[in-house]
Amino acid sequence: MRLALAACLAACLAVMTPGAQATEGDKDPGDILGNWTFQTKPYREGQCVMTGTMRLTPDAESGVYDCELTAVEVCSMWGRSVVLQQCTARRFDNQLSIRSEIDQFLESKLEGLVYVPDNFALTIQSTKRMYGSLVSAATAPAIFIRAEEGIS
C-alpha cells in the first residue's frame, strides 16, 4: 500500500511541476514570431557570404507563418546584392522550412545577374536561435539569431 501511495504521489507531483509534461509539439507557435538576423558561412569557394533580416508574422493556418526577408549577398567576384523577398515559413515541431519569392531588388552591382530566391531549412534550437542551411542557387550553413529590440 505504501509503495502504491508513493507512486501516486510521485505521479501527482510530476503533473503539477511546471513543464514536466511539456513536449516539443506543445510549444507556443508564437515563440518564434518577430524579427531575426541571419548569416551564412562563406560559400562559392569562400567568395560569397549572405547576411540579412527576417520578420515572422502569424498566418491564419496553424504551423504557417508569413515572412519578409531582406538578403544581402556580398561576393568578391560580382559585388553586393540586396534583395527584398516575401516568404512563407512552415513549422513541423522544431523544424522550419522557409520558401521565398523575390519582391524587389534594392541593390544589384552586376547588370543581368540572375538571382534565385533564398530558401532555408532550419532547426529551432530556442526562441532566440535557429540554425540550418541556405538552400538556393548555392547552399551554405546558416544561423538565425533573434534581433534585440532597441529603445528609440
Side-chain angles (χ1 to χ4, degrees), residues 29-100:
D31 64 351
I32 60 170
L33 293 177
N35 297 321
W36 294 82
T37 60
F38 67 90
Q39 181 169 346
T40 67
K41 291 203 178 224
Y43 54 94
R44 294 195 192 279
E45 299 176 1
Q47 296 187 44
C48 299
V49 69
M50 182 181 293
T51 60
T53 59
M54 178 181 69
R55 177 186 268 296
L56 282 174
T57 56
D59 185 273
E61 186 180 337
S62 178
V64 178
Y65 306 87
D66 292 322
C67 53
E68 183 175 273
L69 187 139
T70 302
V72 180
E73 182 181 54
V74 178
C75 295
S76 59
M77 54 202 151
W78 60 69
R80 173 180 144 120
S81 295
V82 181
V83 184
L84 177 64
Q85 300 171 64
Q86 298 302 317
C87 49
T88 299
R90 294 190 183 280
R91 182 176 183 169
F92 307 95
D93 291 322
N94 70 334
Q95 302 298 304
L96 191 68
S97 173
I98 299 170
R99 298 292 173 249
S100 301

Short mmCIF file of all heavy atoms in Angstrom, two decimals, residues 29-100:
data_model
loop_
_atom_site.label_atom_id
_atom_site.label_comp_id
_atom_site.label_asym_id
_atom_site.label_seq_id
_atom_site.Cartn_x
_atom_site.Cartn_y
_atom_site.Cartn_z
N PRO A 29 3.12 28.32 -30.65
CA PRO A 29 3.51 28.58 -32.03
C PRO A 29 3.99 30.01 -32.25
O PRO A 29 4.62 30.31 -33.25
CB PRO A 29 2.23 28.31 -32.83
CG PRO A 29 1.13 28.36 -31.85
CD PRO A 29 1.72 28.00 -30.52
N GLY A 30 3.72 30.91 -31.31
CA GLY A 30 4.18 32.28 -31.43
C GLY A 30 5.57 32.51 -30.88
O GLY A 30 6.08 33.62 -30.92
N ASP A 31 6.21 31.46 -30.39
CA ASP A 31 7.52 31.63 -29.74
C ASP A 31 8.63 32.05 -30.69
O ASP A 31 9.68 32.49 -30.25
CB ASP A 31 7.92 30.37 -28.98
CG ASP A 31 8.13 29.15 -29.86
OD1 ASP A 31 7.79 29.22 -31.07
OD2 ASP A 31 8.61 28.14 -29.36
N ILE A 32 8.42 31.96 -31.98
CA ILE A 32 9.45 32.39 -32.94
C ILE A 32 9.02 33.60 -33.75
O ILE A 32 9.73 34.01 -34.67
CB ILE A 32 9.88 31.23 -33.87
CG1 ILE A 32 8.71 30.72 -34.70
CG2 ILE A 32 10.56 30.12 -33.08
CD1 ILE A 32 9.11 29.76 -35.80
N LEU A 33 7.87 34.18 -33.42
CA LEU A 33 7.41 35.37 -34.13
C LEU A 33 8.36 36.53 -33.87
O LEU A 33 9.01 36.61 -32.84
CB LEU A 33 6.01 35.77 -33.68
CG LEU A 33 4.88 34.81 -34.02
CD1 LEU A 33 3.57 35.30 -33.44
CD2 LEU A 33 4.77 34.61 -35.52
N GLY A 34 8.44 37.45 -34.82
CA GLY A 34 9.23 38.65 -34.62
C GLY A 34 10.39 38.78 -35.58
O GLY A 34 10.40 38.18 -36.66
N ASN A 35 11.36 39.56 -35.17
CA ASN A 35 12.50 39.93 -36.03
C ASN A 35 13.72 39.06 -35.76
O ASN A 35 14.07 38.82 -34.61
CB ASN A 35 12.85 41.40 -35.82
CG ASN A 35 11.72 42.31 -36.22
OD1 ASN A 35 11.04 42.07 -37.21
ND2 ASN A 35 11.49 43.36 -35.45
N TRP A 36 14.36 38.66 -36.83
CA TRP A 36 15.55 37.82 -36.78
C TRP A 36 16.63 38.41 -37.69
O TRP A 36 16.33 39.05 -38.68
CB TRP A 36 15.23 36.41 -37.27
CG TRP A 36 14.28 35.68 -36.39
CD1 TRP A 36 12.91 35.78 -36.38
CD2 TRP A 36 14.61 34.73 -35.37
NE1 TRP A 36 12.39 34.96 -35.41
CE2 TRP A 36 13.40 34.30 -34.79
CE3 TRP A 36 15.81 34.21 -34.91
CZ2 TRP A 36 13.37 33.37 -33.75
CZ3 TRP A 36 15.78 33.28 -33.88
CH2 TRP A 36 14.56 32.87 -33.30
N THR A 37 17.89 38.17 -37.35
CA THR A 37 19.00 38.46 -38.25
C THR A 37 19.62 37.11 -38.60
O THR A 37 19.51 36.14 -37.84
CB THR A 37 20.06 39.37 -37.60
OG1 THR A 37 20.59 38.72 -36.44
CG2 THR A 37 19.47 40.71 -37.22
N PHE A 38 20.26 37.05 -39.76
CA PHE A 38 20.88 35.78 -40.14
C PHE A 38 22.19 36.02 -40.87
O PHE A 38 22.45 37.11 -41.38
CB PHE A 38 19.94 34.92 -40.98
CG PHE A 38 19.61 35.47 -42.33
CD1 PHE A 38 20.38 35.16 -43.44
CD2 PHE A 38 18.50 36.28 -42.52
CE1 PHE A 38 20.07 35.66 -44.70
CE2 PHE A 38 18.17 36.78 -43.77
CZ PHE A 38 18.96 36.47 -44.86
N GLN A 39 23.00 34.98 -40.90
CA GLN A 39 24.27 35.00 -41.62
C GLN A 39 24.62 33.58 -42.03
O GLN A 39 24.40 32.63 -41.28
CB GLN A 39 25.39 35.57 -40.76
CG GLN A 39 26.71 35.63 -41.50
CD GLN A 39 27.77 36.42 -40.77
OE1 GLN A 39 27.48 37.15 -39.82
NE2 GLN A 39 29.00 36.29 -41.21
N THR A 40 25.17 33.47 -43.24
CA THR A 40 25.65 32.17 -43.70
C THR A 40 27.16 32.10 -43.48
O THR A 40 27.82 33.12 -43.29
CB THR A 40 25.39 31.95 -45.20
OG1 THR A 40 26.19 32.86 -45.96
CG2 THR A 40 23.92 32.10 -45.54
N LYS A 41 27.67 30.91 -43.57
CA LYS A 41 29.12 30.73 -43.67
C LYS A 41 29.48 31.03 -45.12
O LYS A 41 28.63 31.01 -46.00
CB LYS A 41 29.51 29.31 -43.29
CG LYS A 41 29.29 29.04 -41.82
CD LYS A 41 30.15 27.92 -41.34
CE LYS A 41 29.90 27.76 -39.87
NZ LYS A 41 31.07 27.58 -39.12
N PRO A 42 30.75 31.33 -45.41
CA PRO A 42 31.15 31.60 -46.80
C PRO A 42 30.82 30.42 -47.72
O PRO A 42 30.91 29.26 -47.31
CB PRO A 42 32.66 31.81 -46.70
CG PRO A 42 32.85 32.29 -45.29
CD PRO A 42 31.85 31.52 -44.48
N TYR A 43 30.42 30.73 -48.95
CA TYR A 43 30.11 29.71 -49.96
C TYR A 43 30.68 30.16 -51.30
O TYR A 43 31.30 31.21 -51.38
CB TYR A 43 28.60 29.44 -50.03
CG TYR A 43 27.72 30.65 -50.25
CD1 TYR A 43 27.32 31.04 -51.51
CD2 TYR A 43 27.29 31.41 -49.15
CE1 TYR A 43 26.51 32.15 -51.70
CE2 TYR A 43 26.48 32.52 -49.33
CZ TYR A 43 26.09 32.88 -50.61
OH TYR A 43 25.30 33.98 -50.80
N ARG A 44 30.47 29.35 -52.33
CA ARG A 44 31.09 29.56 -53.65
C ARG A 44 32.61 29.69 -53.49
O ARG A 44 33.20 30.71 -53.85
CB ARG A 44 30.52 30.77 -54.37
CG ARG A 44 29.07 30.62 -54.75
CD ARG A 44 28.67 31.68 -55.77
NE ARG A 44 27.24 31.74 -55.94
CZ ARG A 44 26.52 30.92 -56.71
NH1 ARG A 44 27.10 29.96 -57.36
NH2 ARG A 44 25.21 31.06 -56.79
N GLU A 45 33.17 28.64 -52.89
CA GLU A 45 34.61 28.57 -52.65
C GLU A 45 35.11 29.74 -51.81
O GLU A 45 36.19 30.28 -52.03
CB GLU A 45 35.37 28.46 -53.98
CG GLU A 45 34.99 27.21 -54.74
CD GLU A 45 35.66 27.12 -56.10
OE1 GLU A 45 36.43 28.02 -56.48
OE2 GLU A 45 35.39 26.12 -56.79
N GLY A 46 34.29 30.17 -50.86
CA GLY A 46 34.67 31.23 -49.93
C GLY A 46 34.54 32.63 -50.47
O GLY A 46 34.92 33.59 -49.80
N GLN A 47 33.97 32.80 -51.67
CA GLN A 47 33.88 34.13 -52.28
C GLN A 47 32.62 34.90 -51.93
O GLN A 47 32.54 36.09 -52.18
CB GLN A 47 34.00 34.00 -53.80
CG GLN A 47 35.36 33.46 -54.22
CD GLN A 47 35.52 33.52 -55.72
OE1 GLN A 47 35.19 34.51 -56.35
NE2 GLN A 47 36.04 32.44 -56.29
N CYS A 48 31.60 34.21 -51.37
CA CYS A 48 30.33 34.87 -51.07
C CYS A 48 29.91 34.60 -49.63
O CYS A 48 30.24 33.57 -49.04
CB CYS A 48 29.22 34.35 -51.98
SG CYS A 48 29.48 34.62 -53.75
N VAL A 49 29.17 35.55 -49.09
CA VAL A 49 28.53 35.38 -47.78
C VAL A 49 27.21 36.14 -47.83
O VAL A 49 27.08 37.14 -48.54
CB VAL A 49 29.44 35.87 -46.62
CG1 VAL A 49 29.60 37.38 -46.64
CG2 VAL A 49 28.93 35.39 -45.30
N MET A 50 26.22 35.64 -47.09
CA MET A 50 24.93 36.30 -47.06
C MET A 50 24.56 36.64 -45.62
O MET A 50 24.78 35.84 -44.71
CB MET A 50 23.84 35.39 -47.65
CG MET A 50 22.45 36.03 -47.69
SD MET A 50 21.20 34.92 -48.35
CE MET A 50 21.76 34.79 -50.05
N THR A 51 24.06 37.86 -45.44
CA THR A 51 23.52 38.30 -44.16
C THR A 51 22.13 38.85 -44.45
O THR A 51 21.75 39.05 -45.61
CB THR A 51 24.39 39.39 -43.50
OG1 THR A 51 24.44 40.52 -44.39
CG2 THR A 51 25.79 38.89 -43.20
N GLY A 52 21.38 39.13 -43.40
CA GLY A 52 20.08 39.73 -43.64
C GLY A 52 19.19 39.75 -42.43
O GLY A 52 19.62 39.46 -41.31
N THR A 53 17.94 40.11 -42.70
CA THR A 53 16.93 40.17 -41.65
C THR A 53 15.69 39.44 -42.12
O THR A 53 15.45 39.30 -43.33
CB THR A 53 16.55 41.63 -41.33
OG1 THR A 53 16.04 42.25 -42.52
CG2 THR A 53 17.74 42.41 -40.80
N MET A 54 14.90 38.97 -41.15
CA MET A 54 13.65 38.30 -41.45
C MET A 54 12.64 38.67 -40.37
O MET A 54 13.00 38.75 -39.19
CB MET A 54 13.82 36.78 -41.48
CG MET A 54 12.52 36.04 -41.73
SD MET A 54 12.72 34.24 -41.75
CE MET A 54 13.09 33.91 -40.03
N ARG A 55 11.40 38.90 -40.78
CA ARG A 55 10.31 39.14 -39.84
C ARG A 55 9.27 38.05 -40.04
O ARG A 55 8.76 37.88 -41.14
CB ARG A 55 9.67 40.50 -40.07
CG ARG A 55 8.46 40.74 -39.15
CD ARG A 55 7.73 42.01 -39.44
NE ARG A 55 8.14 43.18 -38.70
CZ ARG A 55 8.05 43.33 -37.39
NH1 ARG A 55 7.60 42.37 -36.65
NH2 ARG A 55 8.40 44.46 -36.83
N LEU A 56 8.98 37.32 -38.96
CA LEU A 56 7.95 36.28 -38.99
C LEU A 56 6.68 36.82 -38.35
O LEU A 56 6.72 37.34 -37.23
CB LEU A 56 8.41 35.05 -38.19
CG LEU A 56 9.40 34.11 -38.85
CD1 LEU A 56 9.84 33.03 -37.87
CD2 LEU A 56 8.81 33.47 -40.10
N THR A 57 5.56 36.67 -39.05
CA THR A 57 4.26 37.09 -38.53
C THR A 57 3.30 35.91 -38.65
O THR A 57 3.49 35.02 -39.48
CB THR A 57 3.71 38.31 -39.29
OG1 THR A 57 3.65 38.01 -40.68
CG2 THR A 57 4.59 39.54 -39.08
N PRO A 58 2.24 35.89 -37.83
CA PRO A 58 1.32 34.75 -37.86
C PRO A 58 0.51 34.70 -39.16
O PRO A 58 0.26 35.72 -39.79
CB PRO A 58 0.41 34.97 -36.66
CG PRO A 58 0.55 36.41 -36.31
CD PRO A 58 1.87 36.87 -36.81
N ASP A 59 0.13 33.50 -39.55
CA ASP A 59 -0.74 33.26 -40.69
C ASP A 59 -2.00 32.59 -40.12
O ASP A 59 -1.97 32.05 -39.02
CB ASP A 59 -0.03 32.33 -41.69
CG ASP A 59 -0.83 32.13 -42.95
OD1 ASP A 59 -1.69 31.23 -42.96
OD2 ASP A 59 -0.62 32.87 -43.93
N ALA A 60 -3.08 32.62 -40.87
CA ALA A 60 -4.33 32.02 -40.41
C ALA A 60 -4.21 30.50 -40.26
O ALA A 60 -4.91 29.90 -39.45
CB ALA A 60 -5.46 32.37 -41.36
N GLU A 61 -3.33 29.88 -41.03
CA GLU A 61 -3.17 28.43 -40.99
C GLU A 61 -2.19 28.03 -39.88
O GLU A 61 -1.13 28.61 -39.73
CB GLU A 61 -2.64 27.95 -42.34
CG GLU A 61 -2.55 26.45 -42.47
CD GLU A 61 -2.02 26.02 -43.83
OE1 GLU A 61 -2.12 26.80 -44.79
OE2 GLU A 61 -1.48 24.91 -43.91
N SER A 62 -2.56 27.05 -39.10
CA SER A 62 -1.72 26.58 -38.00
C SER A 62 -0.39 26.04 -38.51
O SER A 62 -0.35 25.30 -39.49
CB SER A 62 -2.46 25.48 -37.23
OG SER A 62 -1.65 25.00 -36.19
N GLY A 63 0.70 26.42 -37.85
CA GLY A 63 2.03 25.95 -38.23
C GLY A 63 2.63 26.68 -39.42
O GLY A 63 3.68 26.30 -39.91
N VAL A 64 1.94 27.74 -39.89
CA VAL A 64 2.43 28.50 -41.04
C VAL A 64 2.62 29.96 -40.62
O VAL A 64 1.85 30.49 -39.84
CB VAL A 64 1.43 28.42 -42.22
CG1 VAL A 64 1.90 29.26 -43.40
CG2 VAL A 64 1.23 26.98 -42.65
N TYR A 65 3.67 30.57 -41.13
CA TYR A 65 3.98 31.96 -40.84
C TYR A 65 4.17 32.71 -42.15
O TYR A 65 4.68 32.14 -43.12
CB TYR A 65 5.27 32.09 -40.02
CG TYR A 65 5.26 31.26 -38.76
CD1 TYR A 65 5.67 29.94 -38.79
CD2 TYR A 65 4.88 31.82 -37.55
CE1 TYR A 65 5.67 29.18 -37.62
CE2 TYR A 65 4.89 31.08 -36.38
CZ TYR A 65 5.28 29.75 -36.43
OH TYR A 65 5.28 29.01 -35.29
N ASP A 66 3.79 33.96 -42.17
CA ASP A 66 4.15 34.84 -43.27
C ASP A 66 5.49 35.47 -42.90
O ASP A 66 5.77 35.67 -41.72
CB ASP A 66 3.11 35.95 -43.47
CG ASP A 66 1.79 35.40 -43.97
OD1 ASP A 66 1.80 34.47 -44.80
OD2 ASP A 66 0.75 35.90 -43.53
N CYS A 67 6.30 35.76 -43.89
CA CYS A 67 7.56 36.40 -43.55
C CYS A 67 8.04 37.31 -44.67
O CYS A 67 7.61 37.19 -45.82
CB CYS A 67 8.64 35.39 -43.18
SG CYS A 67 8.97 34.06 -44.33
N GLU A 68 8.89 38.22 -44.26
CA GLU A 68 9.57 39.12 -45.19
C GLU A 68 11.05 38.98 -44.88
O GLU A 68 11.45 39.01 -43.73
CB GLU A 68 9.11 40.55 -44.99
CG GLU A 68 9.74 41.51 -45.97
CD GLU A 68 9.18 42.91 -45.83
OE1 GLU A 68 8.16 43.20 -46.46
OE2 GLU A 68 9.79 43.68 -45.06
N LEU A 69 11.82 38.82 -45.93
CA LEU A 69 13.24 38.55 -45.77
C LEU A 69 14.01 39.53 -46.64
O LEU A 69 13.66 39.72 -47.81
CB LEU A 69 13.48 37.11 -46.23
CG LEU A 69 14.83 36.48 -46.03
CD1 LEU A 69 14.62 35.04 -45.58
CD2 LEU A 69 15.63 36.50 -47.30
N THR A 70 15.00 40.19 -46.07
CA THR A 70 15.91 41.03 -46.84
C THR A 70 17.28 40.38 -46.79
O THR A 70 17.87 40.24 -45.71
CB THR A 70 15.96 42.47 -46.30
OG1 THR A 70 14.64 43.01 -46.31
CG2 THR A 70 16.88 43.33 -47.15
N ALA A 71 17.76 39.94 -47.95
CA ALA A 71 19.05 39.26 -48.03
C ALA A 71 20.09 40.19 -48.63
O ALA A 71 19.83 40.86 -49.64
CB ALA A 71 18.92 38.00 -48.88
N VAL A 72 21.26 40.21 -48.01
CA VAL A 72 22.39 40.99 -48.51
C VAL A 72 23.49 39.98 -48.85
O VAL A 72 24.07 39.37 -47.96
CB VAL A 72 22.90 42.00 -47.45
CG1 VAL A 72 24.09 42.79 -48.01
CG2 VAL A 72 21.78 42.93 -47.00
N GLU A 73 23.72 39.81 -50.15
CA GLU A 73 24.74 38.87 -50.59
C GLU A 73 25.94 39.67 -51.08
O GLU A 73 25.80 40.56 -51.92
CB GLU A 73 24.22 37.99 -51.71
CG GLU A 73 25.24 36.96 -52.16
CD GLU A 73 24.73 36.10 -53.30
OE1 GLU A 73 24.30 36.66 -54.33
OE2 GLU A 73 24.78 34.86 -53.15
N VAL A 74 27.11 39.36 -50.53
CA VAL A 74 28.35 40.02 -50.94
C VAL A 74 29.28 38.95 -51.49
O VAL A 74 29.62 37.99 -50.78
CB VAL A 74 29.01 40.76 -49.75
CG1 VAL A 74 30.31 41.41 -50.19
CG2 VAL A 74 28.05 41.80 -49.17
N CYS A 75 29.66 39.14 -52.76
CA CYS A 75 30.57 38.20 -53.42
C CYS A 75 31.74 38.98 -54.00
O CYS A 75 31.54 40.01 -54.65
CB CYS A 75 29.85 37.46 -54.54
SG CYS A 75 28.53 36.38 -53.97
N SER A 76 32.93 38.48 -53.77
CA SER A 76 34.11 39.18 -54.26
C SER A 76 34.14 39.25 -55.78
O SER A 76 34.72 40.16 -56.35
CB SER A 76 35.38 38.52 -53.73
OG SER A 76 35.44 37.16 -54.14
N MET A 77 33.47 38.31 -56.47
CA MET A 77 33.52 38.28 -57.93
C MET A 77 32.49 39.19 -58.60
O MET A 77 32.69 39.58 -59.74
CB MET A 77 33.38 36.85 -58.43
CG MET A 77 32.16 36.13 -57.92
SD MET A 77 32.43 34.35 -58.02
CE MET A 77 31.39 33.82 -56.69
N TRP A 78 31.39 39.54 -57.94
CA TRP A 78 30.42 40.41 -58.61
C TRP A 78 29.80 41.47 -57.73
O TRP A 78 28.90 42.19 -58.13
CB TRP A 78 29.31 39.63 -59.30
CG TRP A 78 28.47 38.75 -58.42
CD1 TRP A 78 27.57 39.14 -57.47
CD2 TRP A 78 28.44 37.34 -58.43
NE1 TRP A 78 26.99 38.07 -56.88
CE2 TRP A 78 27.50 36.93 -57.46
CE3 TRP A 78 29.11 36.36 -59.16
CZ2 TRP A 78 27.22 35.59 -57.20
CZ3 TRP A 78 28.80 35.03 -58.89
CH2 TRP A 78 27.88 34.66 -57.93
N GLY A 79 30.27 41.63 -56.52
CA GLY A 79 29.81 42.73 -55.67
C GLY A 79 28.67 42.36 -54.74
O GLY A 79 28.56 41.22 -54.30
N ARG A 80 27.82 43.32 -54.49
CA ARG A 80 26.79 43.20 -53.46
C ARG A 80 25.40 43.30 -54.08
O ARG A 80 25.15 44.15 -54.93
CB ARG A 80 27.01 44.34 -52.46
CG ARG A 80 25.98 44.51 -51.41
CD ARG A 80 26.40 45.68 -50.52
NE ARG A 80 25.27 46.44 -50.07
CZ ARG A 80 24.94 46.61 -48.81
NH1 ARG A 80 25.71 46.11 -47.86
NH2 ARG A 80 23.88 47.30 -48.47
N SER A 81 24.51 42.43 -53.61
CA SER A 81 23.10 42.49 -53.99
C SER A 81 22.26 42.53 -52.72
O SER A 81 22.56 41.83 -51.75
CB SER A 81 22.69 41.26 -54.80
OG SER A 81 23.36 41.23 -56.03
N VAL A 82 21.23 43.36 -52.74
CA VAL A 82 20.28 43.43 -51.62
C VAL A 82 18.90 43.15 -52.22
O VAL A 82 18.45 43.85 -53.13
CB VAL A 82 20.30 44.82 -50.94
CG1 VAL A 82 19.33 44.85 -49.77
CG2 VAL A 82 21.71 45.18 -50.49
N VAL A 83 18.26 42.09 -51.70
CA VAL A 83 17.02 41.61 -52.30
C VAL A 83 15.94 41.46 -51.25
O VAL A 83 16.11 40.75 -50.25
CB VAL A 83 17.24 40.25 -53.01
CG1 VAL A 83 15.97 39.79 -53.72
CG2 VAL A 83 18.39 40.35 -54.00
N LEU A 84 14.80 42.14 -51.47
CA LEU A 84 13.63 42.01 -50.60
C LEU A 84 12.80 40.84 -51.11
O LEU A 84 12.51 40.76 -52.31
CB LEU A 84 12.80 43.30 -50.64
CG LEU A 84 11.50 43.29 -49.84
CD1 LEU A 84 11.78 43.12 -48.34
CD2 LEU A 84 10.72 44.56 -50.10
N GLN A 85 12.43 39.93 -50.21
CA GLN A 85 11.69 38.73 -50.60
C GLN A 85 10.51 38.52 -49.65
O GLN A 85 10.62 38.78 -48.45
CB GLN A 85 12.62 37.51 -50.55
CG GLN A 85 13.80 37.66 -51.48
CD GLN A 85 14.84 36.59 -51.32
OE1 GLN A 85 14.57 35.43 -51.55
NE2 GLN A 85 16.04 36.98 -50.91
N GLN A 86 9.41 38.07 -50.21
CA GLN A 86 8.25 37.65 -49.42
C GLN A 86 8.38 36.14 -49.26
O GLN A 86 8.80 35.45 -50.20
CB GLN A 86 6.94 38.01 -50.11
CG GLN A 86 6.74 39.50 -50.32
CD GLN A 86 6.78 40.29 -49.02
OE1 GLN A 86 6.20 39.88 -48.00
NE2 GLN A 86 7.50 41.40 -49.02
N CYS A 87 8.03 35.64 -48.09
CA CYS A 87 8.21 34.21 -47.87
C CYS A 87 7.10 33.62 -47.00
O CYS A 87 6.36 34.33 -46.33
CB CYS A 87 9.58 33.91 -47.28
SG CYS A 87 10.08 34.92 -45.87
N THR A 88 7.04 32.30 -47.06
CA THR A 88 6.15 31.52 -46.22
C THR A 88 7.02 30.54 -45.45
O THR A 88 7.90 29.91 -46.03
CB THR A 88 5.13 30.75 -47.07
OG1 THR A 88 4.35 31.70 -47.82
CG2 THR A 88 4.20 29.92 -46.20
N ALA A 89 6.78 30.45 -44.15
CA ALA A 89 7.53 29.51 -43.32
C ALA A 89 6.56 28.47 -42.77
O ALA A 89 5.48 28.82 -42.28
CB ALA A 89 8.22 30.26 -42.19
N ARG A 90 6.93 27.22 -42.87
CA ARG A 90 6.11 26.12 -42.34
C ARG A 90 6.88 25.44 -41.23
O ARG A 90 8.05 25.10 -41.39
CB ARG A 90 5.79 25.11 -43.42
CG ARG A 90 4.89 25.69 -44.50
CD ARG A 90 4.38 24.60 -45.44
NE ARG A 90 3.59 25.18 -46.49
CZ ARG A 90 2.32 25.56 -46.37
NH1 ARG A 90 1.71 25.39 -45.23
NH2 ARG A 90 1.68 26.09 -47.38
N ARG A 91 6.19 25.25 -40.11
CA ARG A 91 6.83 24.65 -38.94
C ARG A 91 6.31 23.24 -38.71
O ARG A 91 5.12 22.99 -38.76
CB ARG A 91 6.54 25.50 -37.71
CG ARG A 91 7.21 24.97 -36.47
CD ARG A 91 7.00 25.88 -35.30
NE ARG A 91 7.71 25.40 -34.13
CZ ARG A 91 7.87 26.09 -33.04
NH1 ARG A 91 7.37 27.31 -32.95
NH2 ARG A 91 8.52 25.59 -32.01
N PHE A 92 7.25 22.34 -38.48
CA PHE A 92 6.95 20.97 -38.11
C PHE A 92 7.78 20.67 -36.87
O PHE A 92 8.99 20.45 -36.97
CB PHE A 92 7.32 19.99 -39.24
CG PHE A 92 6.71 20.36 -40.56
CD1 PHE A 92 7.42 21.10 -41.49
CD2 PHE A 92 5.42 19.98 -40.87
CE1 PHE A 92 6.87 21.46 -42.71
CE2 PHE A 92 4.85 20.34 -42.09
CZ PHE A 92 5.58 21.07 -43.00
N ASP A 93 7.14 20.73 -35.69
CA ASP A 93 7.83 20.59 -34.40
C ASP A 93 8.96 21.61 -34.31
O ASP A 93 8.69 22.79 -34.32
CB ASP A 93 8.31 19.15 -34.18
CG ASP A 93 7.16 18.19 -33.96
OD1 ASP A 93 6.19 18.58 -33.30
OD2 ASP A 93 7.23 17.06 -34.47
N ASN A 94 10.21 21.16 -34.29
CA ASN A 94 11.32 22.13 -34.17
C ASN A 94 12.01 22.39 -35.51
O ASN A 94 13.11 22.91 -35.55
CB ASN A 94 12.33 21.66 -33.12
CG ASN A 94 13.12 20.45 -33.58
OD1 ASN A 94 12.66 19.67 -34.41
ND2 ASN A 94 14.31 20.28 -33.03
N GLN A 95 11.34 22.05 -36.61
CA GLN A 95 11.88 22.30 -37.95
C GLN A 95 11.10 23.44 -38.60
O GLN A 95 9.88 23.53 -38.45
CB GLN A 95 11.78 21.06 -38.82
CG GLN A 95 12.49 19.84 -38.24
CD GLN A 95 13.98 20.08 -38.09
OE1 GLN A 95 14.66 20.41 -39.04
NE2 GLN A 95 14.49 19.90 -36.88
N LEU A 96 11.80 24.31 -39.32
CA LEU A 96 11.17 25.42 -40.02
C LEU A 96 11.68 25.45 -41.45
O LEU A 96 12.88 25.48 -41.69
CB LEU A 96 11.50 26.75 -39.32
CG LEU A 96 10.71 27.97 -39.77
CD1 LEU A 96 9.25 27.84 -39.36
CD2 LEU A 96 11.30 29.24 -39.18
N SER A 97 10.75 25.42 -42.40
CA SER A 97 11.08 25.45 -43.82
C SER A 97 10.61 26.80 -44.37
O SER A 97 9.43 27.13 -44.28
CB SER A 97 10.37 24.30 -44.54
OG SER A 97 10.54 24.42 -45.93
N ILE A 98 11.54 27.57 -44.94
CA ILE A 98 11.23 28.91 -45.46
C ILE A 98 11.36 28.88 -46.97
O ILE A 98 12.40 28.52 -47.51
CB ILE A 98 12.19 29.96 -44.87
CG1 ILE A 98 12.05 30.00 -43.34
CG2 ILE A 98 11.94 31.33 -45.48
CD1 ILE A 98 13.11 30.82 -42.64
N ARG A 99 10.28 29.29 -47.66
CA ARG A 99 10.25 29.36 -49.12
C ARG A 99 9.98 30.81 -49.52
O ARG A 99 8.98 31.39 -49.12
CB ARG A 99 9.16 28.45 -49.70
CG ARG A 99 9.37 26.98 -49.39
CD ARG A 99 10.60 26.46 -50.14
NE ARG A 99 10.94 25.11 -49.75
CZ ARG A 99 12.00 24.76 -49.06
NH1 ARG A 99 12.86 25.69 -48.67
NH2 ARG A 99 12.26 23.52 -48.76
N SER A 100 10.86 31.38 -50.31
CA SER A 100 10.81 32.80 -50.65
C SER A 100 10.48 33.05 -52.12
O SER A 100 10.72 32.20 -52.97
CB SER A 100 12.16 33.46 -50.35
OG SER A 100 12.49 33.30 -49.00
#
